[in-house]
Amino acid sequence: MEIRFISPYLLLILCVWRIHSSPVIKDAAERQAKVEELQKYFNKSVDPCEDFYDYVCGNYATYHPATLDEPGTGMLETLQSRLDEKIKTILESDNKDENDADKKVKRFYRSCLQVADLKDKYPAKLKEIIKEFGEMPALVGEDKWKESDFDWLEVVAKIVHQYGLSILVKFEFSTDFVNNTLNRMYVSEQDFDLPRELYVGEKGDVIAERMPPAYAGRLSEFLGIEEDVALKTATEFLKFERSLAQAMFDQHAGDKLSETYVLHSLDEAQEKFAPQFDVKRFVELAVGTLPNLKIYTDDDYLANMFEAIKTTPPKVLANYIFYRLANGFIMDIPETKEELEETCLTRMKKYFYKNFDNMVYRKYNSRETEQGVQDMWSHIKAAFQKQLQSSHLNWLSEETRQYALEKLKRMRLDIISFKDTNFSEIMDPLDFKAEDYLGNLQKILSAQAIYDRRHLGEMARENDYGETLSTTPSYIYVENAIKVPVAMLQPSYAWSASFPNAFNFGVLGSLLSHELIHGFDGEGRTFDAIGNHRKWWDENSNKLFKKRSECLIHQYKDFVYGGQNLSEMPNQDENIADNSGVRLAYNAYLNWYDNTAEGDKKLENFSGMDFNYRQLFFTSYGYLWCSDFYSKLRTTLMAIDIHVPDKFRVLGPLSNFEEFAKEFNCPVGSKMNPAKKCEIY
């Protein structure tokens, strides 16, 4: 055996390295970093009983100011940003463990980074795509365009068949929300570029004036249409789009699935919508056959669409349809490499969100974090069970309460890792070219359309919910399940084994509790324990629920943001989830604390935070919503978001929570302890 000499100096280095790399040292460093982060956001000059949000988050904007380029900053935005960094790292590096699907996604990314080389070829390529389905009047010239050759239904249906793009109507296959063992066809509103609130009323008038030049610029740049023709074309079809948008789904008004969709057989739908809409012909062109499935239709939207089409010249309708088709392939080319990488990543999330989340999960997943999330979920479920069984919720009838317990028992939490997803079915046939972004985009859209048709008639696939699940947890009604994305598993933000559980429950626990409450809010309580839509509340409990919700309506409309009162929203589901969620998370934390022999042992190591464990919970909840929003866009935010501004996601729930007032010694009548409080659960 060979004996090697190790110098005392090297031994000293090794000892220091081992000390600094030990879990104990790392935990202490992580805790201290979080304490320093929290402390710098505080505005201690503010009375926490007057404005707890400003007390906790008053200096947040100093460190994370919103700009026009980054209009919103906050913890959830930070989580998304860090996730994007991880995805970029994976896309730009070689990995011996990557599979064929990973390699193809990376090749697509490289083709996107080279899109600037296609700039001169863009118009010709887009014209080829348009020509697959007909002629665009603004391209060929209105005097040469033949109206007799244009059939909007045929064009739209064939685009669905080839690329799965929704124009005028969205046509898709998904779970029947009344019976989730079945799959149904859905015909509803198309995907609009803007929220409903920016199409209707005074804001719609402003947008109608400002938008045509922007759309005209795209028509000129990417399709080579002369500027005056482009402006005239954009002005005409945007007027049509605005008329379409008048019947968009209105979440602020509390529109519900059961009130929006009507179920028909194909024969019934054919009879109902003839002659404006030949449903059977549309379905056969879109699918390639007439499937033996019933169809859900958004009748109000379709009626409005028929009227809009009837009063719109065919050439305007044709220009609109073909612009929407081309726009599915247009990508504005940024000037810098960094902006291009960000743009490519954003675009790719529409097609590869499952691949991205799975790639990040495989590389960065921590079993400790996953287990921590599941353990917290168990405590939250147990706490809500305790609430349902207590006299605190005696406004619920016994029958409704017992079924609520059954629904809670069956509710589950899933980590969205897509680890069991078969990526090869879509990806194997694809041959992406590193220098052909547009061709690659055609291939992935066509492959997805083929995949959807191939699985026609099967039950809707679980976890197939789109890129909206990339950052925050979400409650899925038809599964009675909460889905937690991999973004939420990133350490040191929403949860850490190093942190006191007062922090973990205040942040992650509040988010999970918020989603649990969605199972029992205005929409969620219309779905049963297995995820089917049905009435299971008795009439008296139903009336009391609505009365309690009205309290929130009156309370929140008195909050002032950006110099004006918040709008009065009939839909209070998000405020219900915020108010009841923080109560639930707090109760879950106290139950955990009371049943843990050593208590919250890491609290004493959270040095510098001069709060007891209950106060730290509320402080952490406030920190969750620390944010800044670009001032010139605040009015727009208020109009389009079904959530209230983050400030009021703290002030509203905590001013309604007597335990908060108790812990911070807020006198009755102070802003954070009003005499009249609203409470649901």
Side-chain angles (χ1 to χ4, degrees), residues 525-538:
R525 67 196 183 92
T526 66
F527 287 80
D528 65 17
I530 61 174
N532 287 329
H533 182 273
R534 73 176 179 88
K535 294 180 179 180
W536 53 271
W537 280 56
D538 69 280

Side-chain angles (χ1 to χ4, degrees), residues 381 384-385 387-389 393 395-411 475 480 516 519-520 524-525 527-529 534 536-537 541 681:
K381 279 188 75 173
F384 196 58
Q385 177 180 336
Q387 283 180 233
L388 285 171
Q389 292 171 329
L393 294 182
W395 58 273
L396 287 171
S397 72
E398 187 60 26
E399 179 184 7
T400 297
R401 194 194 305 229
Q402 287 303 315
Y403 194 80
L405 285 164
E406 177 63 21
K407 179 170 183 175
L408 175 67
K409 179 181 177 182
R410 296 202 187 194
M411 190 182 290
Y475 176 73
N480 190 26
L516 181 150
F520 302 90
R525 67 196 183 92
F527 287 80
D528 65 17
R534 73 176 179 88
W536 53 271
W537 280 56
S541 297
Y681 298 109

Side-chain angles (χ1 to χ4, degrees), residues 469-669:
L469 280 181
S470 291
T471 306
T472 58
S474 182
Y475 176 73
I476 307 301
Y477 300 118
V478 295
E479 287 190 34
N480 190 26
I482 294 171
K483 308 292 185 176
V484 179
V486 295
M488 196 55 61
L489 302 184
Q490 297 176 94
S492 304
Y493 293 101
W495 183 93
S496 173
S498 303
F499 297 160
N501 256 351
F503 177 91
N504 291 334
F505 273 90
V507 181
L508 179 61
S510 294
L511 290 172
L512 298 182
S513 296
H514 174 104
E515 297 307 325
L516 181 150
I517 295 299
H518 273 316
F520 302 90
D521 65 15
E523 180 78 43
R525 67 196 183 92
T526 66
F527 287 80
D528 65 17
I530 61 174
N532 287 329
H533 182 273
R534 73 176 179 88
K535 294 180 179 180
W536 53 271
W537 280 56
D538 69 280
E539 193 56 39
N540 190 55
S541 297
N542 191 47
K543 287 180 181 178
L544 291 172
F545 176 89
K546 290 180 178 178
K547 183 177 180 180
R548 287 168 174 257
S549 299
E550 287 170 1
C551 179
L552 290 173
I553 293 175
H554 297 305
Q555 181 188 52
Y556 274 76
K557 73 176 183 179
D558 288 337
F559 286 131
V560 177
Y561 182 69
Q564 59 181 295
N565 289 76
L566 299 185
S567 58
E568 183 175 331
M569 286 194 299
N571 182 0
Q572 285 294 310
D573 286 356
E574 293 300 333
N575 294 335
I576 290 170
D578 281 344
N579 277 263
S580 301
V582 70
R583 286 173 174 269
L584 174 56
Y586 184 70
N587 289 334
Y589 171 63
L590 293 186
N591 290 343
W592 171 86
Y593 186 93
D594 292 342
N595 289 292
T596 304
E598 64 271 29
D600 208 346
K601 61 182 180 180
K602 298 185 183 69
L603 186 65
E604 61 194 46
N605 296 319
F606 227 47
S607 57
M609 297 298 289
D610 300 322
F611 300 111
N612 63 39
Y613 65 97
R614 294 170 182 251
Q615 291 172 324
L616 180 58
F617 171 91
F618 292 118
T619 301
S620 302
Y621 176 73
Y623 159 77
L624 165 62
W625 299 114
C626 287
S627 63
D628 189 32
F629 204 83
Y630 190 55
S631 58
K632 292 182 179 179
L633 296 177
R634 285 176 182 167
T635 301
T636 302
L637 170 69
M638 290 171 59
I640 65 177
D641 198 346
I642 59 171
H643 303 87
V644 294
D646 291 340
K647 177 183 180 78
F648 304 106
R649 301 190 74 171
V650 176
L651 299 185
L654 296 189
S655 66
N656 283 323
F657 197 6
E658 58 284 344
E659 289 298 315
F660 167 82
K662 175 182 174 183
E663 289 306 317
F664 283 88
N665 298 312
C666 296
V668 175

Side-chain angles (χ1 to χ4, degrees), residues 193-194 206-217 231 234 238:
D193 293 337
L194 301 172
V206 174
I207 295 297
E209 291 179 7
R210 295 180 180 177
M211 290 303 291
Y215 281 72
L231 183 58
L238 282 172

